[in-house]
Amino acid sequence: MKFRTAILALTACGLSFPSLADIKLELPYSAELVLVNGIEKDGNDPLVLKNGANQIAFRYQDGYRENGEYQIFKSDVIVMKFSGEDASYRLKLPKLRTEPETRRFNSKPSMTLTDHQNHAVNFSQDKLMKSGIQFGRDYEAEIAAYNQTDKPAAVKSAAAITTLSAMANIDEKQKGKNVAESMLNYWYEQADPATRERFKARINQEH
């Protein structure tokens, strides 16, 4: 309800939103969704998306057998941006069969995006990284901060909406999480050493 109220307020201020979508995206079984256009989502069911630029985040998650033992591999979070209109697309991921293959994929994920005629579709990709403990990550806040950078898979037009969504839903689905703290942590991790030192010096001056 809060998010709906915020959207209505933005609309009253003259902001427009795209019409409902006409893009269908099919995902492989090994792609486990994390975010769709800034909103947390799981599973790998086919997606219906708006025309224009779209952004998804997912993990490669699958098992393989090596030396007689079954291993589970879960990749870092991969961010993918693509554009389309009134079309069907399919995301394809390689089958990973050995531990070295999983390491190479996690270091440099490889994938293809094709249309219904099996023609390659252009896209940009990156990884949504967070150092330290990974449990309880606030992915919506992280992607909101990411979308305000110049990184390859950032969707600038989605930054304000994503930030609004993360903040508007904090009471309903992110109780106990501090969105501002998550975004500060994200920016601190992206900063170079000199910027981090200036940040810490400023904090110390305020205490």
Side-chain angles (χ1 to χ4, degrees), residues 70-194:
Y70 191 74
Q71 308 289 339
I72 297 294
F73 169 65
K74 182 183 291 188
S75 74
D76 295 328
V77 177
I78 302 164
V79 184
M80 177 182 184
K81 177 182 70 174
F82 69 99
S83 295
E85 185 172 355
D86 300 328
S88 295
Y89 300 117
R90 176 176 294 175
L91 174 65
K92 299 178 182 179
L93 296 171
K95 176 62 180 176
L96 305 179
R97 295 181 172 85
T98 65
E99 195 269 339
E101 288 181 353
T102 63
R103 286 203 313 268
R104 286 193 294 270
F105 180 90
N106 210 31
S107 175
K108 189 176 181 180
S110 60
M111 65 199 76
T112 58
L113 185 67
T114 58
D115 62 19
H116 68 284
Q117 295 180 327
N118 208 34
H119 295 153
V121 176
N122 292 329
F123 63 90
S124 300
Q125 70 181 75
D126 199 3
K127 294 201 292 185
L128 190 65
M129 301 297 293
K130 179 181 182 296
S131 62
I133 298 174
Q134 301 298 302
F135 179 75
R137 289 176 63 176
D138 189 342
Y139 291 111
E140 290 189 2
E142 287 183 36
I143 200 67
Y146 178 91
N147 279 334
Q148 296 177 63
T149 71
D150 292 322
K151 294 191 174 184
V155 180
K156 290 298 185 69
S157 61
I161 304 303
T162 305
T163 303
L164 174 62
S165 172
M167 296 181 68
N169 286 295
I170 188 168
D171 291 333
E172 287 75 18
K173 62 180 293 189
Q174 298 186 35
K175 288 183 179 180
K177 294 184 180 180
N178 189 320
V179 174
E181 180 181 357
S182 296
M183 295 184 72
L184 283 172
N185 287 336
Y186 177 89
W187 285 113
Y188 181 82
E189 290 162 5
Q190 302 304 310
D192 56 50

Side-chain angles (χ1 to χ4, degrees), residues 16-98:
S16 61
F17 296 89
S19 59
L20 292 180
D22 253 329
I23 294 175
K24 182 179 180 180
L25 175 63
E26 293 185 20
L27 303 169
Y29 75 91
S30 54
E32 180 67 23
L33 285 169
V34 176
L35 294 158
V36 175
N37 288 325
I39 306 300
E40 283 197 41
K41 187 174 179 61
D42 56 19
N44 52 22
D45 292 335
L47 299 173
V48 178
L49 306 168
K50 61 180 172 54
N51 283 327
N54 284 277
Q55 180 192 64
I56 65 170
F58 64 94
R59 294 182 189 274
Y60 185 114
Q61 185 169 311
D62 197 10
Y64 62 96
R65 187 170 294 278
E66 190 169 44
N67 297 325
E69 295 186 1
Y70 191 74
Q71 308 289 339
I72 297 294
F73 169 65
K74 182 183 291 188
S75 74
D76 295 328
V77 177
I78 302 164
V79 184
M80 177 182 184
K81 177 182 70 174
F82 69 99
S83 295
E85 185 172 355
D86 300 328
S88 295
Y89 300 117
R90 176 176 294 175
L91 174 65
K92 299 178 182 179
L93 296 171
K95 176 62 180 176
L96 305 179
R97 295 181 172 85
T98 65

Side-chain angles (χ1 to χ4, degrees), residues 188-199:
Y188 181 82
E189 290 162 5
Q190 302 304 310
D192 56 50
T195 302
R196 291 186 180 187
E197 289 302 318
R198 290 195 299 271
F199 180 78

